C-alpha cells in the first residue's frame, strides 16, 4: 500500500479562519496531539508574520516529537528585495525547522495586480527564493498559489512557474486551489496536463472548500498520483475552509487503500478532531462526516431496525475504525427497535411483543410532538423508561410553587423569590428562597426543602441551561410571546453529568419540569449506585 504524506496546516491556514484564534500554547498542544496521531508534517505558522508564530517555532523545539516534522511557511521574497536581504526568508531560516514551505504566484492576474511586477520577475523570484533556501533546509516544498486558476488563465506561464520551482530544487510542487473554485472535472484534466508537461515532478495538493469540493479534489489528486495532501483538522481555514483531513485520511485509508498514519492510529482521529475543536474553542460540528457525533447516529425507525440486525445496512464504515461510535436516537421518528435498543443500554431485556414497549413508544411520540427532545435529554428518558416500568421511586411531590418577580427602583436589578410546598413520604415542607432570576430562586427553594431529606443533593450543581423558543405553533402561525419553550438543563455531581428537559408555554414551568427531573435523576442514580454496591458485596460474601 503506498504511503501518502499528510501535511497539516491547521496551525497556519486553519488560523486564517474567521473564528479561529490560537495562542502559542494552544499551537503547541495541538502540534503534540497531531504528532500522537501520526501526521507527517505540521505547518506551524508564518514566522515572519507575528510574535505568536515566532514563539511557536522556539517553543516546539523543547519537545521531542515522535513522528511529525514541523514546517515553517512563508512567501517567495519581496519584489523589492533579493533573497539575501529579504526578512521573510531570513525568518524562515531562523525558525530552524527541517522543512520549509514557500508559496509563489502562478496566476498572471496576481503577478500583475497583487505583486505589480512582470511575469519574468516573478519567475526569477521563484527560482531565486527556492534556490536560496534549498541548501539551508532538508526538505523544501513549493506551494503554487492559485495554480488551477493560473493554468486556466495562462497555461504556459503557470507551468513555467512550476518549472522554475523545480529547477530551484523544490522537493514537491503543491498545486493549490487557493480560491476553492475548481471543479473535480477541471482539476483532473489540469493535473493530467501538468504530469504530461513535467513528468519528473512530485506533486502535492492544497485545496480550499469554497465550492464544497476540497475533499473530493484532494482524493482525486491522490488517485492521479499526488504524493502529499495538505489540509486541516475539521476543515478550518480561510473563508469556507481547507480540505478536511478528518475526511481525507479515512477515505484514503479505508476506501482507497493508501497508508496515511502509523498502523492502528486511525482510531485516534475522532478524539483528535474533538481536541482541536476544544482548544480552538469552536463548538463541535455534529454532522461532520466520520468524526461528528451524528456521523453514525440513527434516528428513523427503519434505519434502527436494520442496523440492529447488521450495522452495515446504514453505516459506510465501522465507526470504531475512526474512533467514533454508533448512536441510536429517540424521537417521534422512532420505532420499537429504538426503544428496545435504548432499554438494553439501561439493562432491560425486552422484546417487540412486550406491551410496555408500545406504551413507551406512544408516550415518547406524544411528548416529542409537544417539543420534548429525548435524544439530548437522556436522563429524562431514563426516568420515563423506569417510571413506565414501575421501577422509579417517587422521591418527592411538589404540591405547589410560586415565583414572584419584583422591581422597586429603576436602578435595581429585578428581585426573584420562590416558595415551594413539597411532600416527602408523609412530611410536608414549605420553603422560600431568593435567587438571581426566577429559575435560580426556584432551584434554591427546591433544594432547601429537599436537602434535609436527601443530603446528597448538595453535591449536584447546574452546568448549563438552554432555552429554545418554538415561535411557530402547530397550525403554522407565529405565536410571539405566547410561544412554547423547551428548557434543557445540564447538571453534574462529582462523577456524572446529565441532561433533563421540560416543555411549556411558561418558561418557569418548563424549567420546573427540567429541574424536578434533574433532582429526581440524581436521587435515582444514587440509589442505583447503592444497589450495585450492595450486589457486589453480597457476591463477595
Ligand atoms: C494563499 C495564502 O493563504 S498565503 C498566506 C496568507 N497568510 C497571511 O497573509 C497571514 C500572514 N500575513 C502577514 O502577517 C502579513 O501579510 C505579512 C507580515 C506577511 C506582510 O505584511 P505587510 O508587509 O504589511 O504586507 P501586506 O500584508 O499589506 O501585503 C502583503 C504583501 O506581500 C506581497 N506578496 C504576496 N504574495 C507574495 C509572494 N508570493 N511573494 C512575494 N510577495 C508577496 C504583496 O504583494 C504585498 O506586498 P506590497 O505591500 O508590496 O504590496
Ligand atoms: C498556499 C495557500 O495557502 C493557498 O494557496 O491556499
Amino acid at each position: 500500500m503506498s504511503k501518502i504524506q499528510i501535511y497539516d496546516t491547521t496551525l497556519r491556514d486553519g488560523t486564517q479562519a474567521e473564528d479561529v484564534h490560537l495562542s502559542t500554547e494552544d499551537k503547541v498542544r495541538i502540534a503534540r496531539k497531531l504528532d500522537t496521531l501520526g501526521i507527517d508534517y505540521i505547518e506551524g505558522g508564518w514566522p515572519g508574520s507575528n510574535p505568536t508564530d515566532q514563539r511557536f517555532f522556539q517553543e516546539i523545539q523543547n519537545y521531542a516529537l515522535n513522528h511529525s516534522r514541523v514546517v515553517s511557511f512563508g512567501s517567495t521574497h519581496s519584489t523589492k528585495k533579493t533573497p539575501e536581504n529579504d526578512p521573510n526568508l531570513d525568518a524562515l531560516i531562523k525558525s530552524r525547522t527541517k522543512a520549509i514551505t514557500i508559496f509563489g504566484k502562478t496566476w498572471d492576474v496576481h503577478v500583475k495586480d497583487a505583486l505589480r511586477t512582470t511575469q519574468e520577475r516573478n519567475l526569477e523570484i521563484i527560482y531565486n527564493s527556492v534556490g536560496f533556501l534549498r541548501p539551508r533546509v532538508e526538505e523544501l516544498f513549493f506551494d503554487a498559489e492559485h495554480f488551477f486558476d493560473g493554468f486556466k488563465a495562462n497555461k504556459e506561464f503557470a507551468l513555467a512557474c512550476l518549472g522554475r520551482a523545480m529547477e530551484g530544487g523544490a522537493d514537491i510542487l503543491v498545486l493549490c486551489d487557493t480560491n476553492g473554485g475548481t471543479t473535480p472535472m477541471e482539476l483532473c484534466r489540469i493535473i493530467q496536463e501538468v504530469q504530461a508537461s513535467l513528468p519528473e515532478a512530485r506533486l502535492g495538493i492544497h485545496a480550499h472548500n469554497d465550492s464544497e469540493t476540497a475533499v473530493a479534489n484532494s482524493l482525486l489528486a491522490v488517485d492521479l498520483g499526488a504524493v502529499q495532501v495538505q489540509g486541516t483538522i475539521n476543515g478550518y481555514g480561510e473563508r469556507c475552509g481547507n480540505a478536511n483531513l478528518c475526511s481525507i485520511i479515512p477515505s484514503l485509508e479505508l476506501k482507497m487503500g493508501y497508508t496515511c498514519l502509523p498502523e492502528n492510529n486511525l482510531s485516534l482521529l475522532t478524539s483528535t478532531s474533538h481536541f482541536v475543536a476544544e482548544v480552538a474553542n469552536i463548538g463541535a460540528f455534529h454532522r461532520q462526516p466520520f468524526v461528528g457525533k451524528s456521523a453514525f447516529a440513527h434516528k428513523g425507525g427503519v434505519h434502527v431496525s436494520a442496523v440492529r440486525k447488521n450495522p452495515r445496512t446504514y453505516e459506510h464504515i465501522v465507526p470504531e475504525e475512526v474512533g467514533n461510535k454508533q448512536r441510536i436516537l429517540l424521537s417521534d421518528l422512532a420505532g420499537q427497535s429504538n426503544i428496545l435498543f435504548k432499554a438494553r443500554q439501561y439493562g432491560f431485556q425486552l422484546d417487540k411483543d412486550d406491551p410496555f414497549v408500545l406504551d413507551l413508544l406512544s408516550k415518547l411520540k406524544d411528548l416529542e410532538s409537544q417539543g420534548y427532545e429525548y435524544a439530548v435529554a437522556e436522563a429524562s428518558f431514563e426516568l420515563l423508561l423506569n417510571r413506565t416500568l414501575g421501577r422509579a421511586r417517587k422521591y418527592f411531590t411538589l404540591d405547589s410553587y410560586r415565583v414572584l418577580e419584583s422591581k422597586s427602583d429603576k436602578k435595581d436589578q429585578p428581585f426573584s423569590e420562590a416558595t415551594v410546598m413539597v411532600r416527602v413520604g408523609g412530611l410536608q415542607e414549605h420553603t422560600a428562597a431568593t435567587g438571581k432570576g426566577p429559575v435560580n430562586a426556584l432551584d434554591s427553594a427546591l433544594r432547601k426543602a429537599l436537602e434535609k431529606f436527601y443530603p446528597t443533593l448538595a453535591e449536584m450543581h447546574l452546568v448549563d441551561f438552554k432555552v429554545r423558543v418554538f415561535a411557530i405553533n402547530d397550525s403554522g402561525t407565529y405565536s410571539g410571546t405566547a410561544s412554547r419553550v423547551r428548557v434543557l438543563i445540564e447538571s453534574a455531581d462529582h462523577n456524572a453529568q446529565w441532561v433533563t428537559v421540560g416543555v411549556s408555554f411558561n418558561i418557569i414551568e418548563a424549567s420546573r419540569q427540567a429541574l424536578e427531573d434533574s433532582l429526581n435523576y440524581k436521587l435515582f442514580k444514587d440509589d442505583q449506585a447503592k444497589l450495585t454496591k450492595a450486589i457486589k458485596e453480597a457476591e463477595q460474601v
Side-chain angles (χ1 to χ4, degrees):
M1 285 202 299
S2 45
K3 167 83 179 94
I4 298 300
Q5 295 180 3
I6 299 296
Y7 182 112
D8 179 278
T9 175
T10 307
L11 305 184
R12 198 277 297 172
D13 222 342
T15 63
Q16 288 177 219
E18 188 173 356
D19 46 0
V20 174
H21 308 277
L22 300 175
S23 64
T24 302
E25 290 68 32
D26 294 336
K27 285 188 161 206
V28 170
R29 287 175 71 201
I30 292 176
R32 296 181 70 198
K33 195 76 175 177
L34 296 177
D35 178 50
T36 306
L37 177 64
I39 294 288
D40 299 310
Y41 297 96
I42 301 172
E43 193 173 78
W46 183 329
S49 165
N50 58 69
T52 302
D53 286 9
Q54 222 130 0
R55 267 190 59 222
F56 169 80
F57 288 106
Q58 284 162 10
E59 196 59 33
I60 199 68
Q61 284 166 26
N62 298 325
Y63 298 91
L65 300 184
N66 290 317
H67 180 94
S68 308
R69 186 164 256 201
V70 174
V71 187
S72 54
F73 174 90
S75 73
T76 49
H77 72 76
S78 158
T79 51
K80 297 162 203 130
K81 303 220 181 274
T82 65
E84 290 73 18
N85 67 12
D86 185 84
N88 173 48
L89 295 189
D90 186 48
L92 286 172
I93 292 162
K94 289 207 173 112
S95 70
R96 293 175 48 205
T97 54
K98 293 197 167 111
I100 288 178
T101 296
I102 53 166
F103 76 96
K105 304 289 187 197
T106 63
W107 186 5
D108 57 5
V109 169
H110 259 263
V111 172
K112 181 168 157 286
D113 295 340
L115 287 190
R116 302 217 161 126
T117 191
T118 62
Q119 293 181 11
E120 291 65 36
R121 175 67 175 145
N122 185 63
L123 292 171
E124 188 179 73
I125 286 173
I126 292 175
Y127 178 75
N128 287 348
S129 301
V130 176
F132 175 76
L133 292 172
R134 180 62 284 179
R136 293 171 169 82
V137 73
E138 283 182 22
E139 284 183 287
L140 182 59
F141 305 130
F142 178 71
D143 275 6
E145 195 194 10
H146 292 110
F147 181 75
F148 296 93
D149 294 316
F151 189 96
K152 283 184 268 178
N154 184 342
K155 174 168 143 180
E156 288 68 35
F157 175 67
L159 286 171
C161 292
L162 290 186
R164 294 304 271 159
M166 226 175 134
E167 285 160 33
D171 292 305
I172 294 183
L173 306 177
V174 183
L175 308 182
C176 300
D177 186 25
T178 308
N179 290 2
T182 306
T183 64
M185 293 72 76
E186 286 173 322
L187 177 118
C188 197
R189 178 180 60 76
I190 294 172
I191 291 182
Q192 283 166 340
E193 287 201 47
V194 172
Q195 287 169 326
S197 171
L198 297 167
E200 303 298 315
R202 296 179 77 217
L203 300 179
I205 180 77
H206 174 116
H208 276 265
N209 204 29
D210 304 66
S211 313
E212 194 87 317
T213 55
V215 169
N217 282 347
S218 305
L219 298 180
L220 253 178
V222 171
D223 194 46
L224 291 166
V227 295
Q228 180 182 99
V229 179
Q230 300 194 349
T232 60
I233 297 295
N234 301 330
Y236 301 147
E238 185 95 33
R239 302 182 310 278
C240 308
N242 283 60
N244 188 349
L245 289 179
C246 295
S247 298
I248 291 171
I249 294 171
S251 296
L252 289 177
E253 290 216 344
L254 300 175
K255 294 165 189 245
M256 294 167 68
Y258 292 97
T259 303
C260 301
L261 301 177
E263 213 175 333
N264 301 324
N265 276 17
L266 187 60
S267 61
L268 301 176
L269 195 67
T270 297
S271 56
T272 306
S273 155
H274 295 183
F275 178 88
V276 173
E278 194 62 40
V279 175
N281 200 16
I282 291 188
F285 174 38
H286 292 335
R287 286 194 301 281
Q288 187 168 327
F290 295 97
V291 296
K293 191 176 169 199
S294 307
F296 304 97
H298 305 286
K299 189 166 170 188
V302 169
H303 294 222
V304 174
S305 159
V307 289
R308 285 186 63 239
K309 294 168 190 147
N310 178 358
R312 280 182 62 205
T313 51
Y314 284 99
E315 287 173 3
H316 68 127
I317 60 159
V318 175
E320 284 72 18
E321 288 183 301
V322 290
N324 208 339
K325 61 174 197 269
Q326 183 188 77
R327 291 172 59 238
I328 302 294
L329 306 177
L330 293 163
S331 76
D332 52 348
L333 300 178
Q336 293 177 64
S337 300
N338 303 56
I339 301 286
L340 295 182
F341 181 90
K342 276 288 164 193
R344 188 163 319 138
Q345 259 188 351
Y346 297 123
F348 300 112
Q349 292 293 340
L350 304 167
D351 57 52
K352 273 199 170 180
D353 303 328
D354 197 321
F356 155 80
V357 174
L358 281 174
D359 181 24
L360 185 58
L361 185 60
S362 96
K363 265 191 197 146
L364 184 77
K365 291 201 177 210
D366 179 41
L367 288 164
E368 288 260 344
S369 72
Q370 294 172 41
Y372 290 82
E373 196 188 323
Y374 290 101
V376 182
E378 291 219 359
S380 286
F381 175 75
E382 200 178 335
L383 286 175
L384 182 70
L385 175 81
N386 280 278
R387 281 174 191 148
T388 314
L389 275 171
R391 296 276 299 261
R393 227 182 102 191
K394 196 158 180 55
Y395 294 94
F396 62 90
T397 307
L398 178 59
D399 284 336
S400 66
Y401 70 89
R402 185 198 312 229
V403 179
L404 288 173
E405 281 292 293
S406 57
K407 190 169 185 315
S408 54
D409 185 294
K410 269 189 191 154
K411 285 187 215 136
D412 280 350
Q413 290 292 325
F415 175 79
S416 307
E417 183 183 1
T419 53
V420 296
M421 185 87 84
V422 294
R423 255 183 309 120
V424 179
L427 299 172
Q428 199 169 48
E429 192 68 27
H430 184 202
T431 325
T434 58
K436 289 181 182 151
V439 178
N440 181 237
L442 184 60
D443 184 24
S444 303
L446 269 171
R447 281 157 182 269
K448 207 163 150 188
L450 293 170
E451 270 176 29
K452 65 171 71 158
F453 301 102
Y454 302 114
T456 61
L457 289 180
E459 295 164 3
M460 65 177 271
H461 59 277
L462 197 136
V463 177
D464 201 5
F465 178 84
K466 283 198 193 99
V467 181
R468 164 98 194 268
V469 179
F470 301 102
I472 307 296
N473 63 28
D474 295 340
S475 54
T477 53
Y478 182 66
S479 310
T481 49
S483 299
R484 201 163 18 195
V485 295
R486 173 170 64 221
V487 168
L488 289 172
I489 288 183
E490 187 168 356
S491 312
D493 62 10
H494 45 272
N495 58 22
Q497 220 152 305
W498 60 95
V499 179
T500 51
V501 63
V503 173
S504 171
F505 289 101
N506 180 321
I507 188 169
I508 296 176
E509 170 56 15
S511 307
R512 190 277 304 165
Q513 293 169 17
L515 276 173
E516 243 193 275
D517 262 11
S518 176
L519 295 163
N520 268 301
Y521 187 75
K522 161 72 180 158
L523 298 171
F524 172 72
K525 198 170 63 70
D526 287 351
D527 272 357
Q528 297 289 99
K530 272 188 228 147
L531 190 66
T532 312
K533 192 166 165 236
I535 292 171
K536 268 197 193 137
E537 283 169 0
E539 280 169 358
Q540 277 164 5
V541 171

